[in-house]
Amino acid sequence: MGKLLALALALAPAPAEPASEAAPPVRAASTGGRVVLGVALAPELPIQDVDAIITGHLVDTGVDVDAVALAAGQDVVARLAWARGRAGERDVLGVFWVERGELGVRLFLLLDAPERVYVRELEEHDDPQVTVETLGVIIRGLSTSLGDPEGPRGMDRVDLEPSVEPAPAPVEPAPVEPAPVRPARVRPRLFGGLGYAGSSLAGPVPWHSGIAAWFGLEHRSRLLFLLTGHALLPATARSELAAAPDLDARLKLERYGGGLRLGYRLRPSAAPRLALDFDAGLSAEWMRWRPVAGNAVLAGGGGRLGLGPGFGVGGELFRGLGLSLHVQLDLWASNTALVAEVAGDRVALVRPAVAGVMAWAGVHFGG
């Protein structure tokens, strides 16, 4: 302890003479005032011990100290940002921070309004407590000249702003950000829907309506896999037989089918809630018919198989809920005629067209 007292007495003369003259204004200006000290010399002394030592040196000055530990190795930009934040706090007269330099210890001081930064080089002692005691003596002396227009005595003014210039460099990747964001949004999507279905057939049944359901997967690559199904409700087909114009040839027709389609989904960047589908696939359908009121039509059924392109559009109303519309052209490779019996012969009553249109629209979920 004797060594510490001797050191304090040796360092004290520089600020001792003006202390008696400057003491009254310091007390008046710093009533309730404080200085902040950031310490990046850990782990030699706990920050509580540093706070206690510095407080002991300032006990009769009317200036309080707020000592905080700082992470070692931070660059000047980080230190200056921290100091500016603390300088804007209420009753803060100045912000000190101390860190190791090339030749020893560096004590920095930031004063606000206008902003100025000062530095002082110190020798670092082997005993960390001696180093902190030295800082206490210096900070006590400096606390009396924080408001001096010529700056605190014993410190050199420095300009740290040039070191801040590299900070904008990380902004350069910003224009590239949309590229990784886009794939992150294109995740695999499962979806399904339910709605109206309609299809053309032939002259006696120009348009046949019913219900449709569909399930699909949108891959990360935008490839689209679609499974569809439809049930077209019973419809009455009216036709005339040239061989027997007075014969009742009405029939009830039902159609059930579905398809497997592969395509690509496009999502315009200008309208991310909109989806455009381009697809092609196979369609299969089973038709069943029966006579009306015991007429000449033979009850029966038959299937057909076709393929063709399609186009769809969908819009998202809310998350996981939207509207869809799909239209496809079916080219039937195999077909089935609906027949009637006239004088013991089978006569084609309805011969479905080779090319037909299928459309469905409704509400989709998921995706």
Coordinates of all heavy atoms in Angstrom, one line a residue, residues 259-313:
G259 N -57.3 -36.9 -64.0 CA -56.1 -36.7 -64.8 C -54.8 -36.6 -64.0 O -54.9 -36.3 -62.8
L260 N -53.7 -36.9 -64.6 CA -52.4 -36.7 -64.0 C -51.6 -35.8 -64.9 O -51.4 -36.1 -66.1 CB -51.7 -38.1 -63.9 CG -50.3 -38.1 -63.3 CD1 -50.4 -37.6 -61.8 CD2 -49.7 -39.5 -63.3
R261 N -51.2 -34.6 -64.3 CA -50.6 -33.6 -65.2 C -49.2 -33.2 -64.6 O -49.0 -33.2 -63.4 CB -51.5 -32.4 -65.3 CG -52.9 -32.8 -65.6 CD -53.8 -31.6 -65.9 NE -53.4 -30.9 -67.2 CZ -53.8 -31.4 -68.4 NH1 -54.5 -32.5 -68.5 NH2 -53.4 -30.8 -69.5
L262 N -48.3 -32.8 -65.5 CA -47.0 -32.3 -65.1 C -46.8 -30.9 -65.8 O -47.2 -30.7 -67.0 CB -45.9 -33.2 -65.6 CG -44.5 -32.8 -65.4 CD1 -44.2 -32.7 -63.9 CD2 -43.5 -33.8 -66.1
G263 N -46.3 -29.9 -65.0 CA -46.2 -28.6 -65.6 C -45.2 -27.8 -64.9 O -44.3 -28.2 -64.1
Y264 N -45.3 -26.5 -65.1 CA -44.4 -25.5 -64.5 C -45.2 -24.3 -64.0 O -46.1 -23.9 -64.7 CB -43.4 -25.0 -65.6 CG -42.4 -24.0 -65.0 CD1 -41.3 -24.4 -64.3 CD2 -42.6 -22.6 -65.2 CE1 -40.4 -23.5 -63.8 CE2 -41.7 -21.7 -64.6 CZ -40.6 -22.1 -63.9 OH -39.7 -21.2 -63.4
R265 N -44.9 -23.9 -62.8 CA -45.6 -22.8 -62.2 C -44.8 -21.5 -62.2 O -43.6 -21.5 -61.7 CB -46.1 -23.1 -60.8 CG -46.7 -21.9 -60.0 CD -47.4 -22.4 -58.8 NE -48.7 -23.1 -59.2 CZ -49.6 -23.6 -58.3 NH1 -49.3 -23.5 -57.0 NH2 -50.7 -24.1 -58.7
L266 N -45.3 -20.5 -62.8 CA -44.6 -19.2 -62.8 C -45.2 -18.2 -61.9 O -46.4 -18.1 -61.8 CB -44.7 -18.6 -64.3 CG -44.1 -17.3 -64.5 CD1 -42.6 -17.3 -64.3 CD2 -44.4 -16.8 -65.9
R267 N -44.4 -17.6 -61.0 CA -44.8 -16.6 -60.1 C -44.2 -15.3 -60.4 O -43.0 -15.0 -60.2 CB -44.5 -17.0 -58.7 CG -45.2 -18.2 -58.1 CD -44.8 -18.5 -56.7 NE -45.6 -19.6 -56.2 CZ -46.8 -19.6 -55.6 NH1 -47.4 -18.4 -55.6 NH2 -47.4 -20.7 -55.2
P268 N -44.9 -14.4 -61.1 CA -44.4 -13.0 -61.5 C -43.9 -12.3 -60.2 O -44.5 -12.2 -59.2 CB -45.5 -12.3 -62.1 CG -46.5 -13.4 -62.5 CD -46.3 -14.5 -61.5
S269 N -42.6 -11.7 -60.3 CA -42.1 -11.0 -59.2 C -42.9 -9.8 -58.9 O -42.9 -9.3 -57.7 CB -40.6 -10.6 -59.5 OG -40.6 -9.8 -60.7
A270 N -43.6 -9.2 -59.9 CA -44.4 -8.0 -59.6 C -45.7 -8.3 -58.9 O -46.3 -7.4 -58.3 CB -44.7 -7.3 -60.9
A271 N -46.1 -9.6 -58.9 CA -47.3 -10.0 -58.2 C -47.1 -11.4 -57.6 O -47.5 -12.4 -58.1 CB -48.5 -10.0 -59.2
P272 N -46.4 -11.4 -56.4 CA -46.0 -12.7 -55.8 C -47.2 -13.5 -55.4 O -47.1 -14.7 -55.2 CB -45.1 -12.3 -54.6 CG -45.5 -10.9 -54.4 CD -45.9 -10.3 -55.7
R273 N -48.4 -12.9 -55.2 CA -49.6 -13.7 -54.8 C -50.2 -14.4 -56.0 O -51.2 -15.1 -55.9 CB -50.6 -12.8 -54.1 CG -50.1 -12.3 -52.8 CD -51.2 -11.4 -52.1 NE -50.8 -11.0 -50.8 CZ -51.2 -11.7 -49.7 NH1 -51.9 -12.8 -49.8 NH2 -50.8 -11.3 -48.5
L274 N -49.7 -14.1 -57.3 CA -50.3 -14.7 -58.5 C -49.5 -15.8 -59.0 O -48.3 -15.8 -58.9 CB -50.4 -13.6 -59.5 CG -51.1 -14.0 -60.9 CD1 -52.6 -14.2 -60.6 CD2 -50.9 -12.8 -61.9
A275 N -50.1 -16.9 -59.5 CA -49.4 -18.1 -60.0 C -50.0 -18.4 -61.4 O -51.3 -18.4 -61.5 CB -49.6 -19.2 -59.1
L276 N -49.2 -18.6 -62.3 CA -49.6 -19.0 -63.7 C -49.0 -20.4 -63.9 O -47.8 -20.7 -63.8 CB -49.0 -18.1 -64.7 CG -49.4 -16.6 -64.5 CD1 -48.7 -15.7 -65.6 CD2 -50.9 -16.4 -64.6
D277 N -49.9 -21.4 -64.3 CA -49.5 -22.8 -64.5 C -49.6 -23.1 -66.0 O -50.6 -22.8 -66.7 CB -50.5 -23.7 -63.8 CG -50.4 -23.5 -62.2 OD1 -49.4 -22.9 -61.8 OD2 -51.3 -23.9 -61.5
F278 N -48.5 -23.8 -66.5 CA -48.5 -24.3 -67.8 C -48.2 -25.8 -67.7 O -47.2 -26.2 -67.2 CB -47.4 -23.6 -68.7 CG -47.5 -22.1 -68.7 CD1 -47.0 -21.3 -67.7 CD2 -48.2 -21.5 -69.8 CE1 -47.1 -19.9 -67.8 CE2 -48.3 -20.2 -69.8 CZ -47.8 -19.4 -68.9
D279 N -49.2 -26.6 -68.2 CA -49.0 -28.1 -67.9 C -49.6 -28.9 -69.1 O -50.2 -28.4 -70.1 CB -49.8 -28.4 -66.7 CG -51.3 -28.1 -66.7 OD1 -52.0 -28.7 -67.5 OD2 -51.7 -27.1 -66.1
A280 N -49.3 -30.2 -69.0 CA -49.8 -31.1 -70.0 C -50.0 -32.5 -69.3 O -49.3 -32.7 -68.3 CB -48.9 -31.3 -71.2
G281 N -50.9 -33.3 -69.8 CA -51.0 -34.6 -69.1 C -52.0 -35.5 -69.7 O -52.6 -35.2 -70.8
L282 N -52.3 -36.6 -69.0 CA -53.2 -37.6 -69.4 C -54.6 -37.4 -68.7 O -54.6 -37.0 -67.6 CB -52.7 -39.0 -69.1 CG -51.4 -39.4 -69.8 CD1 -50.9 -40.8 -69.2 CD2 -51.6 -39.5 -71.3
S283 N -55.6 -37.7 -69.5 CA -57.0 -37.7 -68.9 C -57.7 -39.0 -69.2 O -57.5 -39.6 -70.2 CB -57.8 -36.5 -69.5 OG -57.2 -35.3 -69.3
A284 N -58.4 -39.4 -68.2 CA -59.2 -40.7 -68.3 C -60.6 -40.4 -67.9 O -60.8 -39.6 -66.9 CB -58.6 -41.8 -67.5
E285 N -61.6 -41.0 -68.5 CA -63.0 -40.8 -68.1 C -63.8 -42.0 -68.4 O -63.7 -42.7 -69.3 CB -63.5 -39.6 -69.0 CG -64.9 -39.1 -68.5 CD -65.3 -37.8 -69.2 OE1 -65.5 -37.9 -70.5 OE2 -65.3 -36.7 -68.6
W286 N -64.8 -42.2 -67.5 CA -65.8 -43.3 -67.6 C -67.1 -42.7 -67.8 O -67.5 -41.8 -66.9 CB -65.7 -44.2 -66.4 CG -66.8 -45.3 -66.4 CD1 -68.0 -45.3 -65.8 CD2 -66.7 -46.5 -67.2 NE1 -68.7 -46.4 -66.1 CE2 -67.9 -47.2 -66.9 CE3 -65.7 -47.1 -68.0 CZ2 -68.2 -48.5 -67.5 CZ3 -66.0 -48.3 -68.5 CH2 -67.2 -49.0 -68.3
M287 N -67.9 -43.1 -68.8 CA -69.2 -42.5 -69.1 C -70.2 -43.7 -68.8 O -70.0 -44.8 -69.3 CB -69.3 -42.0 -70.5 CG -68.4 -40.8 -70.8 SD -68.7 -40.1 -72.4 CE -68.2 -41.5 -73.5
R288 N -71.3 -43.3 -68.2 CA -72.4 -44.3 -67.9 C -73.7 -43.6 -68.3 O -74.0 -42.5 -68.0 CB -72.4 -44.7 -66.4 CG -73.4 -45.8 -66.2 CD -73.4 -46.2 -64.7 NE -73.9 -45.1 -63.9 CZ -74.1 -45.3 -62.5 NH1 -73.7 -46.3 -61.9 NH2 -74.6 -44.3 -61.8
W289 N -74.5 -44.3 -69.1 CA -75.8 -43.8 -69.5 C -76.9 -44.8 -69.4 O -76.7 -46.0 -69.3 CB -75.7 -43.3 -71.0 CG -75.4 -44.4 -72.0 CD1 -76.2 -45.1 -72.7 CD2 -74.1 -44.8 -72.4 NE1 -75.6 -46.0 -73.5 CE2 -74.2 -45.8 -73.3 CE3 -72.8 -44.4 -72.0 CZ2 -73.2 -46.4 -73.9 CZ3 -71.7 -45.0 -72.6 CH2 -71.9 -46.0 -73.6
R290 N -78.1 -44.3 -69.3 CA -79.3 -45.2 -69.1 C -80.5 -44.5 -69.8 O -80.5 -43.3 -69.9 CB -79.6 -45.4 -67.7 CG -80.0 -44.2 -66.9 CD -80.2 -44.6 -65.4 NE -80.7 -43.4 -64.6 CZ -80.0 -42.5 -64.1 NH1 -78.7 -42.6 -64.2 NH2 -80.5 -41.5 -63.4
P291 N -81.5 -45.3 -70.2 CA -82.6 -44.7 -71.0 C -83.5 -43.9 -70.0 O -83.5 -44.1 -68.8 CB -83.3 -45.9 -71.5 CG -82.9 -47.0 -70.6 CD -81.5 -46.7 -70.2
V292 N -84.3 -43.0 -70.6 CA -85.3 -42.3 -69.8 C -86.6 -42.9 -70.1 O -87.1 -43.0 -71.2 CB -85.3 -40.8 -70.2 CG1 -86.4 -40.0 -69.5 CG2 -83.9 -40.2 -69.9
A293 N -87.3 -43.3 -69.0 CA -88.7 -43.9 -69.1 C -88.9 -45.0 -70.1 O -89.8 -45.0 -70.9 CB -89.7 -42.7 -69.5
G294 N -87.9 -45.9 -70.1 CA -88.0 -47.1 -70.9 C -88.0 -46.9 -72.4 O -88.7 -47.6 -73.2
N295 N -87.2 -45.9 -72.9 CA -87.2 -45.6 -74.3 C -86.2 -46.6 -75.0 O -85.7 -47.6 -74.4 CB -86.8 -44.2 -74.6 CG -85.5 -43.8 -74.0 OD1 -84.6 -44.7 -73.8 ND2 -85.3 -42.6 -73.6
A296 N -85.9 -46.3 -76.3 CA -85.1 -47.2 -77.1 C -83.6 -47.2 -76.8 O -82.9 -48.0 -77.4 CB -85.3 -46.9 -78.5
V297 N -83.1 -46.4 -75.9 CA -81.7 -46.3 -75.6 C -81.3 -47.5 -74.8 O -82.0 -47.9 -73.8 CB -81.4 -45.0 -74.9 CG1 -79.9 -44.9 -74.6 CG2 -81.8 -43.8 -75.8
L298 N -80.1 -48.0 -75.1 CA -79.6 -49.1 -74.3 C -78.8 -48.6 -73.2 O -77.9 -47.7 -73.4 CB -78.7 -50.0 -75.2 CG -79.4 -50.7 -76.4 CD1 -78.4 -51.5 -77.2 CD2 -80.5 -51.6 -75.9
A299 N -78.9 -49.1 -72.0 CA -78.1 -48.7 -70.9 C -76.7 -49.2 -71.1 O -76.5 -50.3 -71.7 CB -78.7 -49.2 -69.6
G300 N -75.7 -48.5 -70.7 CA -74.3 -49.0 -70.9 C -73.3 -48.0 -70.3 O -73.7 -47.0 -69.6
G301 N -72.1 -48.3 -70.7 CA -71.0 -47.5 -70.2 C -69.8 -47.7 -71.0 O -69.7 -48.7 -71.7
G302 N -68.8 -46.8 -70.9 CA -67.6 -47.0 -71.6 C -66.6 -46.0 -71.2 O -66.9 -44.9 -70.6
G303 N -65.3 -46.3 -71.4 CA -64.2 -45.4 -71.0 C -63.5 -44.8 -72.2 O -63.7 -45.3 -73.3
R304 N -62.8 -43.7 -71.9 CA -61.9 -43.1 -73.0 C -60.7 -42.5 -72.3 O -60.7 -42.2 -71.2 CB -62.7 -42.1 -73.7 CG -63.3 -41.0 -72.9 CD -64.1 -40.1 -73.8 NE -64.6 -38.9 -73.1 CZ -65.0 -37.8 -73.8 NH1 -65.0 -37.7 -75.1 NH2 -65.5 -36.7 -73.1
L305 N -59.7 -42.4 -73.2 CA -58.4 -41.9 -72.7 C -57.9 -40.9 -73.6 O -57.9 -41.0 -74.9 CB -57.4 -43.1 -72.7 CG -56.0 -42.9 -72.1 CD1 -56.1 -42.5 -70.6 CD2 -55.1 -44.1 -72.3
G306 N -57.3 -39.8 -73.1 CA -56.8 -38.7 -73.9 C -55.7 -38.0 -73.3 O -55.2 -38.3 -72.2
L307 N -55.2 -37.0 -74.0 CA -54.0 -36.2 -73.5 C -54.2 -34.8 -74.1 O -54.9 -34.6 -75.1 CB -52.7 -36.8 -73.8 CG -52.4 -37.2 -75.3 CD1 -51.8 -36.1 -76.1 CD2 -51.4 -38.4 -75.3
G308 N -53.4 -33.9 -73.5 CA -53.5 -32.5 -74.0 C -52.9 -31.5 -73.1 O -52.6 -31.8 -71.9
P309 N -52.7 -30.2 -73.6 CA -52.1 -29.2 -72.8 C -53.2 -28.5 -71.9 O -54.4 -28.6 -72.1 CB -51.6 -28.2 -73.8 CG -52.6 -28.4 -75.0 CD -53.0 -29.8 -74.9
G310 N -52.7 -27.7 -70.9 CA -53.6 -26.9 -70.1 C -52.9 -25.7 -69.6 O -51.7 -25.5 -69.6
F311 N -53.8 -24.8 -69.1 CA -53.3 -23.5 -68.5 C -54.1 -23.2 -67.3 O -55.4 -23.4 -67.3 CB -53.4 -22.4 -69.5 CG -53.1 -21.0 -69.0 CD1 -51.8 -20.6 -68.7 CD2 -54.2 -20.2 -68.7 CE1 -51.6 -19.4 -68.1 CE2 -53.9 -18.9 -68.1 CZ -52.6 -18.5 -67.9
G312 N -53.5 -22.7 -66.3 CA -54.2 -22.3 -65.0 C -53.7 -21.0 -64.5 O -52.6 -20.6 -64.7
V313 N -54.5 -20.4 -63.7 CA -54.2 -19.2 -63.0 C -54.8 -19.2 -61.6 O -55.9 -19.7 -61.4 CB -54.7 -17.9 -63.8 CG1 -56.2 -18.0 -63.9 CG2 -54.3 -16.6 -63.1

